[in-house]
Amino acid sequence: MTTEVVKQHIVVAQNASGRNMNVPIYRMRGARPGPTVYIQSSIHGAEVQGNVVIYHLIQRLKDMDICGEVILVPNCNPVGTNIKAGEYTMGRFDPVNGTNWNRGYHFDKDSVEQFANTVTPEESVQGIKQRFRAFLSNAIDTKLATPWGLGLAQQLNLKLQQLAVNADFVLDLHNGPVSTRHIYVPEYAKPSASLFNIPHCIFIPNVFAGALDEATFCPWWTLQESIEANLQRNIEFNVEAFTLEMGSQEVINFTEGDVDALSILSYLNAKGALHNCDVKPNDMTRLGVMLKDYKTLFTDWGGMVEYLAKPGESIKAGEPLAKILNIDELDNDNGSRLLNAPCDLIPILHFPSASVLSGTQLYKVFTNYETLT
């Protein structure tokens, strides 16, 4: 069978000339009932690999029996993609207001707890979900319509969040600077980590820091906890959201993009979004860490660096992570030195440049990690 792809565009911003900046939305609906899936890529301008993943997803899903609907939004931030400085894309922050493009989504814990007070013991899960989605959608619309206006990043985020508000499963595709594959997983969805073919998993608490995955799962998680506290009623809404980090920024790789598309399809198949599909998770080693043990190694020095520890490698305490060049000491024994690991760790990503200022986030690493599969 062939699934039809319906393409439309939405306006997410206007440039200084007053011209609209559009984003394509690809919708793929199946004949069978099922969940709604929302997938976006490139909210940070330099993180482009997710666009290739979405390309492969569309090509594969066209020949699959979809249950429900899959909504795909590639290159969701055209403003960030076009902020170039020489050969580099500087699209991590709104250039006008300095805001991280991935920190303007909406979540209001107090209003969610107030909504929870309206839930009755006999109300069905489906009824609660329908009312709550309308509640969230109205809150986003209200925020967009504020007479005081909003910064560019927040306007963009809220328009994208409105597209995702009815989704059961939300995937936000990212890349690190120089990075191995890893995924951010809400703690309540820990079993789902093994449904992706991603070796490194970071488990995050019910704390909102502004990102799309948190803006999706924090309301549902908070609602669930509040209902349990109010009514002593155990309830599961089966809404999940993840940030997938698929390698390094500023590059695309079509072969690796298809690998990640299959990884996503294995998750969607397990969640009932595909009918009569044989795509399953790979038998592989997956490591997990709590967010508090996902550490950042900052520099207390400046210099030029060779990165010796590669993302994904296991490093023992005392083994070298990097070699540092000090150009003021090239004529003596202090011209170079090693930076050693403070404990057993796994580097997940490192700074992309060899030129490093003091206070730089040099590495982000797993510590106190566990084997999941």
Side-chain angles (χ1 to χ4, degrees):
M1 65 170 297
T2 300
T3 299
E4 182 183 5
V5 183
V6 177
K7 181 170 62 175
Q8 59 185 128
H9 291 81
I10 64 165
V11 178
V12 295
Q14 286 186 323
N15 64 21
S17 299
R19 294 185 176 88
N20 289 342
M21 303 191 77
N22 299 310
V23 165
I25 304 170
Y26 297 87
R27 295 181 181 269
M28 307 182 75
R29 294 186 178 94
R32 305 173 190 274
T36 298
V37 178
Y38 176 84
I39 304 173
Q40 72 176 32
S41 64
S42 291
I43 191 64
H44 292 133
E47 300 178 17
V48 293
Q49 177 65 11
N51 300 312
V52 180
V53 176
I54 287 179
Y55 162 76
H56 284 294
L57 282 171
I58 291 173
Q59 299 308 311
R60 287 183 173 274
L61 286 168
K62 284 194 296 187
D63 298 322
M64 291 183 168
D65 192 352
I66 295 173
C67 304
E69 181 180 25
V70 180
I71 304 167
L72 304 114
V73 185
N75 200 36
C76 69
N77 181 7
V79 182
T81 302
N82 285 284
I83 301 173
K84 305 291 288 189
E87 63 266 42
Y88 296 103
T89 306
M90 308 300 290
R92 188 169 186 82
F93 301 96
D94 171 354
V96 178
N97 304 304
T99 308
N100 186 319
W101 287 113
N102 194 38
R103 293 295 182 270
Y105 298 97
H106 171 72
F107 171 60
D108 183 347
K109 183 178 179 181
D110 290 341
S111 69
V112 173
E113 291 174 343
Q114 291 169 12
F115 178 93
N117 292 332
T118 71
V119 175
T120 61
E122 64 275 6
E123 188 172 9
S124 69
V125 172
Q126 191 57 39
I128 299 170
K129 290 176 74 171
Q130 184 174 353
R131 283 203 306 120
F132 191 52
R133 282 181 168 138
F135 170 82
L136 293 174
S137 180
N138 181 67
I140 296 168
D141 280 344
T142 300
K143 200 159 188 176
L144 279 167
T146 174
W148 294 100
L150 297 167
L152 178 56
Q154 192 169 29
Q155 290 181 44
L156 172 67
N157 285 174
L158 293 174
K159 290 175 182 178
L160 296 172
Q161 188 177 2
Q162 192 66 277
L163 293 174
V165 75
N166 290 319
D168 301 286
F169 307 112
V170 173
L171 306 179
D172 195 8
L173 310 185
H174 284 252
N175 299 96
V178 177
S179 173
T180 190
R181 287 185 179 90
H182 55 292
I183 181 172
Y184 289 87
V185 182
E187 290 175 12
Y188 73 86
K190 187 174 181 179
S192 292
S194 299
L195 300 177
F196 296 92
N197 301 326
I198 296 178
H200 302 101
C201 306
I202 304 164
F203 300 111
I204 54 180
N206 188 20
V207 176
F208 181 65
L212 177 62
D213 58 343
E214 299 158 348
T216 301
F217 70 68
C218 280
W220 293 98
W221 194 346
T222 301
L223 179 62
Q224 178 177 309
E225 292 177 330
S226 297
I227 292 174
E228 289 177 356
N230 294 345
L231 303 176
Q232 288 72 55
R233 177 183 175 185
N234 293 323
I235 196 167
E236 291 187 6
F237 292 113
N238 297 316
V239 175
E240 295 181 351
F242 308 90
T243 293
L244 280 63
E245 304 270 0
M246 298 164 302
S248 304
Q249 62 190 27
E250 291 281 32
V251 295
I252 64 170
N253 183 307
F254 278 83
T255 300
E256 293 298 311
D258 198 34
V259 170
D260 286 312
L262 283 171
S263 172
I264 291 171
L265 290 175
S266 72
Y267 170 78
L268 298 184
N269 190 33
K271 294 299 180 179
L274 301 172
H275 176 71
N276 197 25
C277 174
D278 59 1
V279 179
K280 296 180 179 179
N282 291 343
D283 183 10
M284 61 183 289
T285 299
R286 296 174 178 85
L287 303 175
V289 70
M290 303 304 291
L291 182 62
K292 65 181 178 63
D293 292 317
Y294 184 44
K295 300 292 189 181
T296 300
L297 179 64
F298 291 91
T299 63
D300 57 6
W301 44 263
M304 298 182 183
V305 176
E306 178 186 1
Y307 298 93
L308 302 176
K310 306 305 180 187
E313 292 182 344
S314 295
I315 304 296
K316 296 294 185 182
E319 292 183 343
L321 292 174
K323 192 168 186 177
I324 304 153
L325 181 69
N326 185 342
I327 59 171
D328 281 335
E329 304 287 348
L330 299 184
D331 57 347
N332 58 60
D333 292 341
N334 297 320
S336 68
R337 64 184 178 90
L338 292 175
L339 174 67
N340 296 322
C343 65
D344 292 353
L345 53 81
I346 299 176
I348 300 299
L349 59 85
H350 66 69
F351 192 65
S353 174
S355 300
V356 174
L357 294 169
S358 59
T360 293
Q361 296 185 28
L362 195 69
Y363 276 98
K364 298 190 80 170
V365 303
F366 276 19
T367 66
N368 299 321
Y369 50 88
E370 61 174 327
T371 300
L372 304 176
T373 61

